[in-house]
Each structure stands twice: as structure tokens, then as C-alpha cells.
Amino acid sequence: VIKLDDIRKTYHTGEVEVHAVRGVSLEILPGEFVAVMGASGSGKSTLMNIVGCLDRPTGGRYFLDGTDVSELDRDDLADIRNQKIGFVFQGFNLLSRTSARENVEMPMLYRHDQRSARELHEKATRALETVNLADRADHHPSQLSGGQQQRVAIARALVNQPALLLADEPTGNLDSRTSIEIMGVFQQLNAQGITIVMVTHEPDIARFTKRNVVMSDGVVTTDAPVADR
Amino acid sequence: VIKLDDIRKTYHTGEVEVHAVRGVSLEILPGEFVAVMGASGSGKSTLMNIVGCLDRPTGGRYFLDGTDVSELDRDDLADIRNQKIGFVFQGFNLLSRTSARENVEMPMLYRHDQRSARELHEKATRALETVNLADRADHHPSQLSGGQQQRVAIARALVNQPALLLADEPTGNLDSRTSIEIMGVFQQLNAQGITIVMVTHEPDIARFTKRNVVMSDGVVTTDAPVADR
Ligand SMILES: Nc1ncnc2c1ncn2[C@@H]1O[C@H](COP(=O)(O)OP(=O)(O)OP(=O)(O)O)[C@@H](O)[C@H]1O
Ligand SMILES: Nc1ncnc2c1ncn2[C@@H]1O[C@H](COP(=O)(O)OP(=O)(O)OP(=O)(O)O)[C@@H](O)[C@H]1O
Ligand SMILES: [Mg+2]
Ligand SMILES: [Mg+2]
């Protein structure tokens, strides 16, 4: 479902060029469950943003379900994101002036489904139940703990039941037990056929996935299946 | 140096009351190195904000270096924060329109020290070197990875050489090796006499400290020294 062919990304900051991704080639098949690990600054989020159609590579090709994503204009990319992809951002990116439930409803509004407000409300509530936050549905992000904000971001990524779930450090602010609960949710979704790619820096969390990809300085240095999974 | 006496904090959200902290009594002596752990939503950040003089308790007393903090007005509190405390926020709280170096210089500007711009620049650069980010000093937060932003927040908390360092999940976005480097920095500072209280959800990180306090539903349930430290 994901085919990265010699992907490169260079940022230009003032006079300096930062080569964040320097030639990554990777294939991820439908139903896979991949952990992406690597040092701070090694290019993981940059790669995730390209895979999530949030950013364009500077070089190389990205095929999503066989379509060359570089051929698509901004509206097509937005459609793909809304139809196929759920994204959990490393910094959550919640809207601060709306409640947790409204934040979770947002991706459904972008899809122009003919759903009633009541149906949206219910779907959002169920997504919040999945992450144990139904009792915080009316709180605004500033009225939530760090780990609760992270879980709202996860619920929002799941609410459209995307075929591809991309999660950037989804357990970075969660205690061990809550992290294990979230990984349980991810394993369930993966068993239902959802392809999952997640960045994590914790080996204990990576162990819940089926394949570990390690990045270092913008390239992939290791790509191996997880033992006995 | 820190004496919490039956501290309580209740938030009022609409019609609902959230009892975030429900009676915490704790004493932390100068030079201690304490990890605060506990489930997401258990009240850790709320407690840290009270200890860091960023928020007032709803009940109970907080003595910092023998002074009853509830007696102080907002200007006195601000002075205490600038003179004695370095705070690493769970959400970083960096200023997005200024560079990493300028973000790190900020606490020094609040102190009205008679320092030249060049001295501030140097001190900030050295703080960034401590967290391995000197080469990103001119980047703005949006041009930094999540872990790099976190390290800028850490450098900013250290730049005034505070007597008390409070860190809320300082390694949540860092890979294992960078986390170990940061914990090494913290251990060095602690050996020099700085009192450190840090929230973490990772037991492997808590092991670098000397005392583990566990919170659950707004109260402290465990408070024990770390074996062989
Ligand atoms: N401004 C607020 N208004 C209402 N409730 C709040 C507010 N801030 C925090 N809370 C609630 O208080 C409780 C404790 O929050 P706190 O941020 O202290 O948790 P935490 O232990 O730091 O969690 P995490 O590990 O997820 O960061 C949570 O249930 C949260 O929903
Ligand atoms: N907009 C930008 N402009 C310039 N440089 C950038 C920009 N965004 C990221 N970078 C740089 O690109 C490199 C890779 O960043 P990226 O966010 O992909 O790292 P990461 O692996 O996700 O790190 P972390 O684990 O800390 O989140 C970093 O060195 C960062 O400083
Ligand atoms: Mg990142
Ligand atoms: Mg917190």
C-alpha cells in the first residue's frame, strides 16, 4: 500500500540546508504493523509527514495504493488524507477553542458524509470511549492532562476508520499501563486489517508491532521483523 | 526546600468539578533527585505547577525554602520563579516566532541582570551545547524535531542555573540514547547540589533518580528510595 522510492527531503533554513531524509526506499504492504525508531532528529516525523501526504518530498517517488502522489494537486491530496489516512501528530495539534469531542468530530466534517449531527456526536463519543476519555468529552485541551490530549489526538485519527493509521509517538506522554491499553487498541485495529505505521522511541512499545524500521541521519539502517510476532 | 502540606487542587469546568489533587503532603530536602510517576490524569502536572509557583492550590499550604508561598502576591511569585526555579513544561511552551537561542535567553531577560547581549548569547549557546543542540541555535521551533524542541525547553530551564529544577516528562519525545544523555546531565547537576523533581512515565528513566513518588487519582500512593542509588 505504501511504496517509497529513494525519498529525499531537504529543508532550507536561511543559508543552511538540512538534509532531513536522504534516500529512503521502503515498501509496506496492506495489513502490516510497523514501528519506526531512531535518534531525535533522524528524520522520522519528516518521513511520516511525507507518507501522510502532509508534505512533499524534495526527491524520489511516493506511491500510495499504486497512485504516484507527486502527480496529485492539493485538493486531491486533501481528499486522500480524509478518505484513507488517520494521523496522530507528535505535537497533537488539537484545536484549543473546541472541546475534545468536537476535535474528534473534525475529520468527519471534512468528508462531507451525509451524516446527522447526532451521528457525528455518537461516533466521536465512541472513539473517545476507545481511549478511555468519554468522561472528558466536553473539556477543552487546556483542561486536559498531556496524556489525555494525546489520547484525544488518537481518537481523532481513528474516528473515520482509516485504512492507514500513521501515529507519531502516540504513547510519548502516557504511563505504561495506558500505553499498553493503546497498543492493545492498535493491535485490534491491525487484526481488522488496518495498516499501522507508528514512530516510537520505546523498545517495549515497538515490541507490540510486527516490524521494526530504524532510522539514523535520514536513512534507514535496520528493517527487521519483530521476533515471534 | 519543598514542603507540601495537604495540598488540594480542584478545577471547575462548567458544572463538573475535577479534583485533580486531593491531599498531597510531601517534603523534599535540598539536593534530592525525585521522580514523580503515575497514570495519565493522576495529577502530576497539576502538582508540578503548584510546586513551580505557576498555579495556586485550592487548599493546603506550600512552603518553599520556609516561605509560605500562599502569602505572596503575583510579582513575588514571578520573582521566585525567575530566581530559584527552572521549569521544563510537558508541552514545551516555546515561543514560535523566536529562535532556539532566543527562547533559551528568555529567562535571563526576566532577571534584570546587568548582562550584555553578548553574555546572554554565550550563556544560551552553552546551555544548548549541554543538550547537543548548538547547531540548531538559529532554528525556530517549527524547524525543529519534537525531541529537539524538548531539548530547547530543557536548556531554557537550565540557563539561569536554578536551585530547583522541575521537569514534566523531559524525555517523553527523546530516543533512548538521547534520554540517557539528558539524565546524565541531570545527574551532574544534582551532584552539584541542584534539587531536581521530574515527572516521568518510564521506569527505566526513574531509575536514574534517587527517590520515586507515585501518584494515583490525586494522591501519593508510594514514596520510596531507588534501590542502590
Ligand atoms: N484546567 C483544567 N480544568 C479542568 N480539569 C483539568 C484542568 N487541567 C487538568 N485537569 C484535569 O485534572 C486531572 C489531572 O491533570 P494533570 O495534568 O495533573 O494529570 P497528569 O498526571 O499530568 O497526566 P499526564 O500524565 O497525562 O500528563 C486530569 O483528569 C485533567 O483532566
Ligand atoms: N521546517 C524545518 N526547517 C529546517 N529544518 C527542519 C525543519 N523540520 C525539521 N527540520 C530538521 O530536520 C531534521 C529531522 O527532523 P524530524 O522532525 O524528522 O526528526 P525526528 O526523527 O522526528 O526527531 P524526534 O525524534 O526528535 O521527533 C532535524 O534535524 C530537524 O532540525
Ligand atoms: Mg519527530
Ligand atoms: Mg501531565
Side-chain angles (χ1 to χ4, degrees), chain B residues 75-156:
Chain B
D75 291 337
D76 296 330
L77 281 182
D79 281 345
I80 283 191
R81 286 200 301 271
N82 298 327
Q83 304 288 338
K84 297 190 175 190
I85 299 172
F87 204 108
V88 186
F89 294 89
Q90 187 168 9
F92 317 155
N93 290 4
L94 300 178
L95 299 177
S96 52
R97 279 181 236 153
T98 62
S99 70
R101 174 166 27 239
E102 289 163 331
N103 265 281
V104 175
E105 288 176 355
M106 206 59 63
M108 294 189 282
L109 297 175
Y110 285 136
R111 275 176 64 137
H112 316 293
D113 286 345
Q114 299 301 340
R115 283 190 197 135
S116 64
R118 173 186 179 134
E119 272 181 278
L120 295 184
H121 194 275
E122 272 190 40
K123 279 201 146 249
T125 303
R126 246 176 288 144
L128 286 169
E129 281 169 357
T130 308
V131 297
N132 267 326
L133 272 187
D135 63 343
R136 290 279 181 276
D138 296 313
H139 284 227
H140 286 222
S142 61
Q143 297 167 332
L144 295 173
S145 77
Q148 290 167 343
Q149 292 173 25
Q150 187 154 41
R151 284 182 276 158
V152 174
I154 292 170
R156 181 181 60 183

Coordinates of all heavy atoms in Angstrom, one line a residue, chain B residues 75-156:
Chain B
D75 N 3.7 39.4 41.8 CA 5.1 39.8 41.5 C 6.1 39.0 42.3 O 7.2 38.6 41.7 CB 5.2 41.3 41.8 CG 4.4 42.1 40.8 OD1 4.1 41.6 39.7 OD2 4.1 43.3 41.2
D76 N 5.8 38.8 43.6 CA 6.8 38.0 44.4 C 6.9 36.6 43.8 O 8.0 36.0 43.7 CB 6.3 37.9 45.8 CG 6.2 39.2 46.5 OD1 7.0 40.1 46.2 OD2 5.4 39.4 47.4
L77 N 5.8 36.0 43.4 CA 5.8 34.6 42.8 C 6.7 34.6 41.6 O 7.5 33.7 41.3 CB 4.4 34.2 42.5 CG 3.6 33.6 43.6 CD1 2.2 33.2 43.1 CD2 4.2 32.5 44.4
A78 N 6.5 35.7 40.7 CA 7.2 35.7 39.5 C 8.7 35.8 39.8 O 9.6 35.2 39.2 CB 6.8 36.9 38.7
D79 N 9.1 36.6 40.8 CA 10.5 36.8 41.2 C 11.1 35.4 41.7 O 12.1 35.0 41.2 CB 10.6 37.8 42.4 CG 10.6 39.2 41.9 OD1 10.7 39.4 40.6 OD2 10.4 40.1 42.7
I80 N 10.3 34.7 42.5 CA 10.8 33.4 43.0 C 11.0 32.5 41.8 O 12.0 31.8 41.7 CB 9.7 32.8 43.9 CG1 9.8 33.4 45.3 CG2 10.0 31.3 44.0 CD1 9.0 32.7 46.4
R81 N 10.1 32.5 40.9 CA 10.2 31.6 39.7 C 11.5 31.9 38.9 O 12.3 31.0 38.5 CB 9.0 31.7 38.7 CG 7.8 31.1 39.3 CD 6.8 30.8 38.1 NE 6.4 32.0 37.4 CZ 5.4 32.8 37.7 NH1 4.6 32.5 38.8 NH2 5.1 33.8 37.0
N82 N 11.7 33.2 38.8 CA 12.9 33.6 38.0 C 14.2 33.4 38.7 O 15.3 33.1 38.1 CB 12.8 35.1 37.6 CG 11.6 35.3 36.7 OD1 11.2 34.4 35.9 ND2 10.9 36.4 36.8
Q83 N 14.2 33.5 40.1 CA 15.4 33.4 40.8 C 15.8 32.0 41.1 O 16.9 31.6 41.1 CB 15.3 34.1 42.2 CG 14.9 35.6 42.1 CD 16.1 36.4 41.6 OE1 17.2 36.1 41.6 NE2 15.7 37.6 41.0
K84 N 14.8 31.2 41.5 CA 15.1 29.9 42.1 C 14.7 28.6 41.2 O 15.2 27.6 41.5 CB 14.3 29.7 43.4 CG 14.6 30.7 44.4 CD 14.0 30.3 45.8 CE 14.4 31.3 46.9 NZ 14.0 30.8 48.2
I85 N 13.8 28.8 40.3 CA 13.2 27.7 39.7 C 13.4 27.6 38.2 O 13.3 28.6 37.5 CB 11.7 27.6 39.9 CG1 11.4 27.6 41.4 CG2 11.0 26.4 39.2 CD1 9.9 27.7 41.8
G86 N 13.8 26.4 37.6 CA 13.8 26.2 36.2 C 12.7 25.2 35.9 O 12.6 24.1 36.6
F87 N 11.9 25.4 34.9 CA 10.7 24.6 34.7 C 10.7 24.1 33.2 O 10.8 24.9 32.3 CB 9.4 25.3 34.9 CG 8.2 24.5 35.3 CD1 7.7 24.4 36.6 CD2 7.6 23.7 34.3 CE1 6.6 23.6 36.9 CE2 6.5 22.9 34.6 CZ 6.0 22.9 35.9
V88 N 10.7 22.8 33.1 CA 10.5 22.2 31.7 C 9.1 21.7 31.6 O 8.6 20.8 32.3 CB 11.4 20.9 31.5 CG1 11.4 20.4 30.1 CG2 12.9 21.3 31.9
F89 N 8.3 22.3 30.7 CA 6.9 22.1 30.5 C 6.6 20.8 29.7 O 7.4 20.5 28.8 CB 6.2 23.2 29.9 CG 6.2 24.5 30.7 CD1 7.2 25.4 30.6 CD2 5.1 24.7 31.6 CE1 7.2 26.6 31.3 CE2 5.1 25.9 32.3 CZ 6.1 26.8 32.2
Q90 N 5.6 20.1 30.1 CA 5.2 18.9 29.3 C 4.9 19.2 27.9 O 5.2 18.4 27.0 CB 4.0 18.2 30.0 CG 3.6 16.9 29.4 CD 2.5 16.2 30.2 OE1 1.9 16.7 31.2 NE2 2.2 14.9 29.9
G91 N 4.4 20.4 27.6 CA 4.2 20.8 26.2 C 5.2 21.8 25.7 O 5.0 22.4 24.7
F92 N 6.3 21.9 26.3 CA 7.5 22.7 25.9 C 7.2 24.2 26.1 O 8.0 24.9 26.6 CB 7.9 22.5 24.5 CG 8.0 21.0 24.1 CD1 7.9 20.7 22.7 CD2 8.2 20.0 25.0 CE1 7.9 19.3 22.3 CE2 8.3 18.7 24.6 CZ 8.1 18.3 23.3
N93 N 6.1 24.7 25.6 CA 5.8 26.1 25.7 C 6.9 27.0 25.1 O 7.3 28.0 25.7 CB 5.5 26.5 27.1 CG 4.2 25.9 27.7 OD1 3.5 25.2 27.0 ND2 3.9 26.3 28.9
L94 N 7.4 26.7 23.9 CA 8.4 27.6 23.3 C 7.7 28.7 22.6 O 6.5 28.6 22.1 CB 9.2 26.8 22.3 CG 10.0 25.6 22.9 CD1 10.8 24.9 21.8 CD2 11.0 26.1 24.0
L95 N 8.4 29.8 22.4 CA 7.8 30.9 21.6 C 8.1 30.6 20.1 O 9.3 30.5 19.8 CB 8.5 32.3 22.0 CG 8.2 32.6 23.5 CD1 9.0 33.9 23.8 CD2 6.8 32.8 23.8
S96 N 7.1 30.6 19.3 CA 7.3 30.1 18.0 C 7.9 31.1 17.0 O 8.5 30.7 16.0 CB 5.9 29.7 17.4 OG 5.0 30.7 17.5
R97 N 7.9 32.4 17.4 CA 8.4 33.4 16.5 C 9.9 33.8 16.8 O 10.4 34.7 16.2 CB 7.6 34.6 16.4 CG 6.3 34.4 15.6 CD 5.5 35.6 15.5 NE 4.1 35.3 15.9 CZ 3.3 36.2 16.5 NH1 3.7 37.4 16.7 NH2 2.1 35.8 16.8
T98 N 10.5 33.1 17.7 CA 11.9 33.4 18.0 C 12.7 32.1 18.0 O 12.2 31.0 18.1 CB 12.0 34.0 19.5 OG1 11.6 33.0 20.4 CG2 11.2 35.2 19.6
S99 N 14.0 32.3 17.8 CA 14.9 31.1 17.5 C 15.1 30.3 18.8 O 14.7 30.8 19.9 CB 16.3 31.6 17.1 OG 16.9 32.3 18.1
A100 N 15.7 29.2 18.7 CA 16.0 28.3 19.8 C 16.8 29.1 20.8 O 16.6 29.1 22.0 CB 16.8 27.1 19.4
R101 N 17.9 29.8 20.3 CA 18.8 30.6 21.2 C 18.0 31.7 22.0 O 18.1 31.8 23.2 CB 19.9 31.2 20.5 CG 20.8 32.1 21.4 CD 22.1 32.5 20.8 NE 22.1 32.4 19.4 CZ 23.0 31.7 18.6 NH1 23.8 30.9 19.2 NH2 22.9 31.7 17.3
E102 N 17.1 32.4 21.2 CA 16.4 33.4 21.9 C 15.4 32.9 22.9 O 15.2 33.5 24.0 CB 15.6 34.3 20.8 CG 16.5 35.1 20.0 CD 15.9 35.6 18.7 OE1 15.0 34.9 18.2 OE2 16.2 36.7 18.2
N103 N 14.8 31.7 22.6 CA 14.0 31.1 23.6 C 14.7 30.7 24.9 O 14.2 30.9 26.0 CB 13.4 29.7 23.0 CG 12.0 29.9 22.4 OD1 11.0 30.0 23.1 ND2 12.0 30.0 21.1
V104 N 16.0 30.3 24.7 CA 16.8 29.9 25.9 C 17.2 31.2 26.7 O 17.4 31.2 27.9 CB 18.0 29.1 25.5 CG1 18.9 28.8 26.6 CG2 17.6 27.8 24.9
E105 N 17.4 32.3 26.0 CA 17.8 33.6 26.6 C 16.7 34.2 27.5 O 17.0 34.9 28.4 CB 18.2 34.6 25.6 CG 19.6 34.3 24.9 CD 19.9 35.3 23.8 OE1 19.0 36.2 23.5 OE2 21.0 35.2 23.2
M106 N 15.5 33.8 27.1 CA 14.3 34.5 27.8 C 14.3 34.6 29.3 O 14.1 35.6 29.8 CB 13.0 33.7 27.3 CG 11.8 34.5 27.3 SD 11.8 36.0 26.3 CE 12.0 35.4 24.6
P107 N 14.6 33.5 30.0 CA 14.6 33.6 31.5 C 15.7 34.5 32.0 O 15.5 35.1 33.1 CB 15.0 32.1 31.9 CG 14.6 31.3 30.8 CD 14.9 32.1 29.6
M108 N 16.7 34.7 31.3 CA 17.8 35.7 31.7 C 17.3 37.1 31.6 O 17.6 38.0 32.4 CB 19.1 35.4 30.9 CG 19.7 34.1 31.2 SD 21.3 33.9 30.5 CE 20.9 33.6 28.7
L109 N 16.5 37.4 30.6 CA 16.0 38.7 30.4 C 15.0 39.1 31.6 O 15.0 40.3 32.0 CB 15.2 38.8 29.1 CG 16.0 38.6 27.8 CD1 15.1 38.6 26.6 CD2 17.1 39.6 27.7
Y110 N 14.3 38.1 32.1 CA 13.4 38.4 33.2 C 14.1 38.7 34.5 O 13.5 39.2 35.5 CB 12.5 37.2 33.5 CG 11.4 37.0 32.5 CD1 11.1 35.7 31.9 CD2 10.7 38.1 32.0 CE1 10.1 35.6 31.0 CE2 9.7 37.9 31.1 CZ 9.4 36.7 30.6 OH 8.4 36.5 29.6
R111 N 15.4 38.5 34.6 CA 16.1 38.6 35.8 C 16.7 40.0 36.0 O 17.2 40.4 37.0 CB 17.2 37.6 36.0 CG 16.7 36.3 36.5 CD 17.7 35.2 36.6 NE 18.8 35.6 37.4 CZ 19.4 34.7 38.3 NH1 18.9 33.5 38.4 NH2 20.4 35.1 39.0
H112 N 16.6 40.8 34.9 CA 17.2 42.2 35.0 C 18.6 42.1 35.5 O 19.1 43.0 36.2 CB 16.4 43.1 35.9 CG 14.9 43.0 35.7 ND1 14.3 43.4 34.6 CD2 14.0 42.5 36.5 CE1 13.0 43.1 34.7 NE2 12.8 42.6 35.9
D113 N 19.4 41.1 35.1 CA 20.8 41.1 35.4 C 21.5 42.1 34.6 O 21.0 42.4 33.5 CB 21.4 39.7 35.1 CG 21.0 38.7 36.1 OD1 20.5 39.0 37.2 OD2 21.2 37.5 35.8
Q114 N 22.5 42.7 35.0 CA 23.2 43.7 34.2 C 24.2 43.0 33.2 O 25.4 43.2 33.3 CB 24.0 44.6 35.1 CG 23.1 45.4 36.0 CD 22.0 46.2 35.3 OE1 22.2 46.5 34.1 NE2 21.0 46.6 36.0
R115 N 23.6 42.1 32.4 CA 24.5 41.3 31.5 C 24.4 41.9 30.1 O 23.3 42.4 29.6 CB 24.1 39.9 31.4 CG 24.5 39.1 32.6 CD 24.3 37.6 32.4 NE 24.3 36.9 33.7 CZ 23.4 35.9 34.0 NH1 22.5 35.6 33.1 NH2 23.6 35.3 35.1
S116 N 25.5 41.9 29.4 CA 25.5 42.3 28.0 C 24.8 41.3 27.1 O 24.7 40.2 27.4 CB 26.9 42.5 27.5 OG 27.6 41.3 27.5
A117 N 24.3 41.8 26.0 CA 23.7 40.9 25.0 C 24.6 39.8 24.6 O 24.2 38.6 24.4 CB 23.3 41.7 23.7
R118 N 25.9 40.1 24.6 CA 26.9 39.1 24.2 C 27.0 38.0 25.2 O 27.1 36.8 24.9 CB 28.3 39.8 24.0 CG 29.4 38.8 23.8 CD 30.7 39.5 23.7 NE 31.7 38.5 23.5 CZ 32.7 38.6 22.6 NH1 32.8 39.7 21.9 NH2 33.6 37.6 22.5
E119 N 26.9 38.4 26.5 CA 27.0 37.4 27.6 C 25.8 36.5 27.5 O 25.8 35.3 27.8 CB 27.0 38.1 29.0 CG 28.4 38.4 29.5 CD 28.3 39.1 30.8 OE1 28.0 40.3 30.9 OE2 28.4 38.4 31.9
L120 N 24.6 37.1 27.3 CA 23.3 36.3 27.2 C 23.5 35.3 26.1 O 23.2 34.1 26.2 CB 22.1 37.2 26.9 CG 21.8 38.2 28.0 CD1 20.5 38.9 27.6 CD2 21.6 37.5 29.4
H121 N 24.0 35.8 25.0 CA 24.2 34.9 23.8 C 25.1 33.7 24.1 O 24.8 32.6 23.8 CB 24.8 35.8 22.7 CG 24.8 35.2 21.3 ND1 25.8 34.3 20.9 CD2 23.9 35.3 20.3 CE1 25.5 34.0 19.6 NE2 24.4 34.6 19.3
E122 N 26.2 34.0 24.8 CA 27.1 32.9 25.2 C 26.5 31.9 26.1 O 26.7 30.7 26.0 CB 28.4 33.6 25.8 CG 29.4 34.0 24.8 CD 30.7 34.3 25.6 OE1 31.0 33.6 26.6 OE2 31.4 35.3 25.2
K123 N 25.8 32.4 27.2 CA 25.2 31.5 28.1 C 24.2 30.6 27.5 O 24.1 29.4 27.8 CB 24.6 32.3 29.3 CG 25.5 32.8 30.3 CD 24.8 33.2 31.6 CE 25.6 32.9 32.9 NZ 25.1 31.7 33.6
A124 N 23.4 31.2 26.6 CA 22.4 30.4 25.9 C 23.0 29.4 25.0 O 22.6 28.2 25.0 CB 21.5 31.4 25.1
T125 N 24.1 29.8 24.3 CA 24.8 28.8 23.5 C 25.3 27.6 24.3 O 25.3 26.5 23.9 CB 25.9 29.5 22.7 OG1 25.3 30.6 21.9 CG2 26.6 28.5 21.7
R126 N 25.9 28.0 25.4 CA 26.4 26.9 26.3 C 25.3 26.0 26.8 O 25.5 24.7 26.8 CB 27.3 27.5 27.4 CG 28.7 27.1 27.3 CD 29.6 27.8 28.3 NE 29.7 29.2 28.1 CZ 29.7 30.1 29.1 NH1 29.6 29.7 30.4 NH2 29.8 31.3 28.9
A127 N 24.2 26.5 27.1 CA 23.1 25.7 27.6 C 22.6 24.8 26.4 O 22.3 23.6 26.6 CB 21.9 26.6 28.0
L128 N 22.6 25.3 25.2 CA 22.2 24.5 24.0 C 23.3 23.4 23.8 O 23.0 22.3 23.3 CB 22.0 25.3 22.8 CG 20.7 26.2 22.8 CD1 20.7 27.2 21.7 CD2 19.5 25.2 22.6
E129 N 24.6 23.7 24.0 CA 25.6 22.7 23.9 C 25.4 21.5 24.8 O 25.6 20.4 24.5 CB 27.0 23.3 24.1 CG 27.5 24.1 22.9 CD 28.8 24.9 23.3 OE1 29.2 24.9 24.5 OE2 29.3 25.6 22.4
T130 N 24.9 21.9 26.1 CA 24.7 20.8 27.1 C 23.7 19.8 26.6 O 23.8 18.6 27.0 CB 24.2 21.5 28.4 OG1 25.1 22.5 28.8 CG2 24.1 20.5 29.5
V131 N 22.7 20.2 25.7 CA 21.7 19.3 25.2 C 22.0 19.0 23.8 O 21.1 18.5 23.1 CB 20.3 19.8 25.4 CG1 20.0 20.0 26.9 CG2 20.1 21.1 24.7
N132 N 23.3 19.2 23.3 CA 23.6 18.8 21.9 C 22.8 19.5 20.8 O 22.5 18.9 19.8 CB 23.4 17.3 21.8 CG 24.7 16.5 22.1 OD1 25.8 17.0 21.8 ND2 24.6 15.4 22.7
L133 N 22.5 20.8 21.0 CA 21.7 21.5 20.0 C 22.4 22.8 19.5 O 21.7 23.6 19.0 CB 20.3 21.8 20.5 CG 19.3 20.7 20.4 CD1 17.9 21.2 20.8 CD2 19.2 20.2 18.9
A134 N 23.7 22.9 19.8 CA 24.3 24.2 19.4 C 24.1 24.5 17.9 O 24.0 25.6 17.5 CB 25.8 24.2 19.8
D135 N 24.1 23.4 17.1 CA 24.0 23.6 15.7 C 22.6 23.9 15.2 O 22.3 24.1 14.0 CB 24.5 22.4 14.9 CG 23.7 21.1 15.2 OD1 22.9 21.2 16.2 OD2 23.8 20.1 14.5
R136 N 21.6 24.0 16.1 CA 20.3 24.3 15.8 C 19.8 25.7 16.4 O 18.6 26.0 16.5 CB 19.3 23.2 16.2 CG 19.4 21.9 15.4 CD 18.7 22.0 14.1 NE 18.7 20.8 13.3 CZ 19.7 20.5 12.5 NH1 20.7 21.3 12.4 NH2 19.7 19.3 11.8
A137 N 20.8 26.4 16.9 CA 20.5 27.6 17.7 C 19.7 28.6 17.0 O 18.9 29.4 17.6 CB 21.8 28.3 18.2
D138 N 19.8 28.7 15.7 CA 19.1 29.8 14.9 C 17.8 29.3 14.3 O 17.0 30.0 13.7 CB 20.0 30.3 13.8 CG 21.2 31.0 14.4 OD1 21.0 31.8 15.3 OD2 22.3 30.7 13.9
H139 N 17.5 28.0 14.5 CA 16.2 27.4 14.0 C 15.1 27.9 14.9 O 15.2 28.1 16.1 CB 16.2 25.9 14.0 CG 17.0 25.3 12.9 ND1 16.5 24.2 12.2 CD2 18.3 25.6 12.5 CE1 17.5 23.9 11.3 NE2 18.5 24.7 11.4
H140 N 13.9 28.1 14.3 CA 12.7 28.4 15.0 C 12.1 27.0 15.4 O 12.3 26.0 14.8 CB 11.8 29.2 14.2 CG 12.2 30.6 14.1 ND1 11.4 31.7 14.2 CD2 13.5 31.2 14.0 CE1 12.1 32.8 14.1 NE2 13.4 32.5 14.0
P141 N 11.2 27.0 16.5 CA 10.6 25.7 16.9 C 10.0 24.9 15.8 O 10.1 23.7 15.8 CB 9.6 26.2 18.0 CG 10.2 27.4 18.6 CD 10.9 28.1 17.4
S142 N 9.3 25.6 14.8 CA 8.7 24.8 13.8 C 9.7 24.1 12.8 O 9.4 23.3 12.0 CB 7.8 25.7 12.9 OG 8.5 26.7 12.3
Q143 N 11.0 24.6 13.0 CA 12.1 24.0 12.2 C 12.9 23.0 13.0 O 14.0 22.6 12.6 CB 13.0 25.1 11.6 CG 12.3 26.1 10.7 CD 13.1 27.3 10.5 OE1 13.9 27.7 11.3 NE2 12.8 28.0 9.3
L144 N 12.3 22.5 14.1 CA 13.0 21.6 14.9 C 12.1 20.3 15.1 O 10.9 20.4 15.1 CB 13.2 22.2 16.3 CG 14.2 23.4 16.4 CD1 14.1 23.9 17.8 CD2 15.6 23.0 16.0
S145 N 12.8 19.2 15.3 CA 12.1 17.9 15.5 C 11.5 18.0 16.9 O 11.9 18.9 17.8 CB 13.0 16.7 15.4 OG 13.8 16.7 16.6
G146 N 10.5 17.1 17.2 CA 9.9 17.1 18.6 C 10.9 17.0 19.7 O 10.8 17.7 20.7
G147 N 11.8 16.1 19.5 CA 12.8 15.9 20.6 C 13.8 17.1 20.7 O 14.3 17.4 21.7
Q148 N 14.0 17.8 19.6 CA 14.9 19.0 19.6 C 14.1 20.1 20.3 O 14.7 20.8 21.1 CB 15.3 19.4 18.2 CG 16.3 18.4 17.6 CD 16.4 18.6 16.1 OE1 15.6 19.2 15.4 NE2 17.5 18.0 15.5
Q149 N 12.8 20.2 20.1 CA 12.1 21.2 20.8 C 12.1 21.0 22.3 O 12.2 21.9 23.1 CB 10.6 21.2 20.3 CG 10.4 21.7 18.9 CD 9.0 21.5 18.5 OE1 8.0 21.5 19.3 NE2 8.8 21.4 17.2
Q150 N 12.0 19.7 22.6 CA 12.0 19.3 24.1 C 13.4 19.7 24.7 O 13.4 20.1 25.8 CB 11.8 17.8 24.2 CG 11.6 17.4 25.7 CD 10.8 16.1 25.8 OE1 10.9 15.1 25.0 NE2 9.9 16.1 26.8
R151 N 14.4 19.5 23.9 CA 15.8 19.8 24.5 C 16.0 21.3 24.6 O 16.7 21.8 25.5 CB 16.8 19.2 23.6 CG 16.9 17.7 23.9 CD 18.0 17.0 23.1 NE 17.6 16.7 21.7 CZ 18.4 16.5 20.7 NH1 19.7 16.6 20.9 NH2 18.0 16.1 19.5
V152 N 15.3 22.1 23.7 CA 15.4 23.6 23.8 C 14.7 24.0 25.2 O 15.2 24.8 25.9 CB 14.7 24.3 22.7 CG1 14.7 25.8 22.9 CG2 15.5 24.0 21.4
A153 N 13.6 23.3 25.4 CA 12.8 23.6 26.7 C 13.7 23.3 27.9 O 13.7 24.0 28.9 CB 11.5 22.8 26.7
I154 N 14.5 22.2 27.8 CA 15.4 21.8 28.9 C 16.5 22.8 29.0 O 16.8 23.3 30.2 CB 16.0 20.4 28.6 CG1 14.8 19.3 28.7 CG2 17.1 20.0 29.6 CD1 15.2 17.9 28.2
A155 N 17.1 23.2 27.9 CA 18.2 24.2 28.0 C 17.7 25.5 28.6 O 18.4 26.1 29.4 CB 18.8 24.4 26.6
R156 N 16.5 25.9 28.2 CA 15.9 27.1 28.8 C 15.8 27.0 30.3 O 16.0 28.0 31.0 CB 14.6 27.4 28.1 CG 13.9 28.7 28.6 CD 12.6 28.9 28.0 NE 11.7 27.8 28.2 CZ 10.4 27.7 27.8 NH1 10.0 28.7 26.9 NH2 9.6 26.7 28.0

